[in-house]
């Protein structure tokens, strides 16, 4: 209702939505829970970067393992004890963020300082990892693994870590491709654009004779989402960014 949105607006505007553990179930309200988690991560980033930068490589690797253990055991505790979902919990999202930060710092260091890092750079390692990721998540949907994103971390998180270590420090001409670079710029808008896609897609199927089959739903939703993403980026995100940057330059 309008009253609900008026009441929630200060919480969402200040990026506090994810601190209310049950608010996610009450009103997903777009991607504002994710913005809330990002806000926490970006505010704490400068402090974590300076703190972690002082650690030696071995300590960083041990910390990655420790953080990974927390991320793997937490959804099991939540599931078995029937607790509120930790999907939108800023604490666990920040731990994920720190894992990424640690891997980024490892990628900036000399790779020959660690045999483990050198091993993970092998091409066949990340190819096998990618296969394990796809097959593992697919298999999990056919066995009695609860359909919970956080529980899939047992498969996904270690695989993503290996892939990030493999590609994080790569220099390749394809990364300078203008199309790929633009897609990277609109990726945040793409995340937000999905919130508008489904109603448009339902309307299109209702007013046209397009067959309502899965492959067409996938293709059409992707095209619609890309179109909305470009509009959001060019007419909202980009102008706002320019205004903010110009303000700080002054």
């Amino acid at each position: 209702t309008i009253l609900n949105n008026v009441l929630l607006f200060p919480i969402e505007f200040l990026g506090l939505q994810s601190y209310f553990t049950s608010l996610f179930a009450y009103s997903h309200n777009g991607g504002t829970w994710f913005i809330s988690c990002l806000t926490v991560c970006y505010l704490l980033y400068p402090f974590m970067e300076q703190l972690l930068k002082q650690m030696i490589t071995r300590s960083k690797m041990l910390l990655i393992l420790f953080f990974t253990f927390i991320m793997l055991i937490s959804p099991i505790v939540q599931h078995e004890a029937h607790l509120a979902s930790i999907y939108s919990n800023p604490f666990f999202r920040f731990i994920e963020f720190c894992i990424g930060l640690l891997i980024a710092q490892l990628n900036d260091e000399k790779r020959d300082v660690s045999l483990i890092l050198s091993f993970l750079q092998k091409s066949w390692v990340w190819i096998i990892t990618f296969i394990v990721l796809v097959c593992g998540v697919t298999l999990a949907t056919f066995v009695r693994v609860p359909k919970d994103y956080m529980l899939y971390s047992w498969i996904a998180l270690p695989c993503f870590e290996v892939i990030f270590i493999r590609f994080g420090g790569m220099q390749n001409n394809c990364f300078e491709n203008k199309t790929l670079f633009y897609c990277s710029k609109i990726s945040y808008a793409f995340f937000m654009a999905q919130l508008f896609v489904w109603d448009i897609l339902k309307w299109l199927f209702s007013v046209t004779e397009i067959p309502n089959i899965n492959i067409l739903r996938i293709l059409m939703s992707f095209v619609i989402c890309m179109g909305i993403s470009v509009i959001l980026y060019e007419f909202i995100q980009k102008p706002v960014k320019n205004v903010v940057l110009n303000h700080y330059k002054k």
Side-chain angles (χ1 to χ4, degrees):
T1 65
I2 295 176
L3 181 60
N4 292 147
N5 282 289
V6 170
L7 184 64
L8 289 174
F9 178 76
I11 302 301
E12 295 174 346
F13 181 76
L14 296 172
L16 300 175
Q17 189 183 29
S18 60
Y19 289 98
F20 295 83
T21 55
S22 58
L23 187 60
F24 182 83
Y26 168 73
S27 172
H28 188 285
N29 204 23
T32 49
W33 70 268
F34 186 61
I35 296 173
S36 177
C37 291
L38 280 178
T39 302
V40 175
C41 293
Y42 278 106
L43 287 175
L44 294 178
Y45 168 76
F47 305 102
M48 291 303 298
E49 182 190 32
Q50 293 303 316
L51 179 64
L52 298 176
K53 191 181 292 184
Q54 300 176 46
M55 299 173 63
I56 61 174
T57 300
R58 182 173 296 179
S59 297
K60 291 178 181 179
M61 295 176 68
L62 290 174
L63 192 56
I64 289 175
L65 293 177
F66 176 69
F67 282 157
T68 301
F69 172 76
I70 293 176
M71 289 305 302
L72 297 185
I73 200 69
S74 298
I76 297 177
V77 174
Q78 178 258 321
H79 179 73
E80 293 299 321
H82 305 288
L83 304 176
S85 173
I86 62 174
Y87 182 80
S88 58
N89 190 302
F91 173 77
F92 296 103
R93 292 296 182 176
F94 183 66
I95 290 179
E96 289 180 329
F97 187 84
C98 286
I99 292 173
L101 175 56
L102 285 163
I103 292 176
Q105 290 190 0
L106 288 176
N107 284 330
D108 286 337
E109 297 171 0
K110 292 183 178 179
R111 299 179 181 277
D112 56 0
V113 297
S114 170
L115 291 175
I116 297 177
L117 287 178
S118 299
F119 173 75
L120 294 178
Q121 294 302 304
K122 305 294 184 182
S123 296
W124 59 269
V125 172
W126 74 263
I127 293 174
I128 292 176
T129 302
F130 183 77
I131 294 173
V132 170
L133 173 63
V134 174
C135 294
V137 173
T138 303
L139 180 63
T141 62
F142 290 99
V143 297
R144 293 184 177 180
V145 176
K147 296 184 182 301
D148 186 296
Y149 163 81
M150 304 301 282
L151 285 171
Y152 284 180
S153 287
W154 275 90
I155 304 166
L157 187 58
C159 290
F160 282 138
E161 289 173 358
V162 172
I163 293 172
F164 291 160
I165 290 173
R166 174 66 182 90
F167 288 102
M170 280 187 63
Q171 296 295 326
N172 195 299
N173 291 333
C174 72
F175 296 146
E176 298 176 8
N177 181 279
K178 290 184 178 180
T179 302
L180 186 63
F181 192 63
Y182 186 79
C183 287
S184 176
K185 284 185 174 182
I186 68 170
S187 59
Y188 181 73
F190 188 87
F191 171 79
M192 300 302 295
Q194 64 179 301
L195 311 169
F196 306 98
V197 168
W198 312 118
D199 288 336
I200 297 174
L201 197 62
K202 289 177 183 177
W203 176 79
L204 281 175
F205 280 120
S206 67
V207 299
T208 64
E209 297 182 358
I210 301 174
N212 192 352
I213 57 177
N214 195 46
I215 185 64
L216 283 179
R217 286 197 296 269
I218 293 172
L219 292 174
M220 289 175 65
S221 61
F222 178 77
V223 171
I224 294 171
C225 201
M226 283 295 294
I228 298 174
S229 303
V230 172
I231 294 172
L232 289 176
Y233 175 75
E234 294 291 344
F235 293 98
I236 299 178
Q237 185 177 339
K238 190 175 177 181
V240 170
K241 179 182 177 181
N242 291 335
V243 170
V244 173
L245 289 177
N246 290 333
H247 173 75
Y248 280 102
K249 285 178 181 178
K250 294 178 182 179

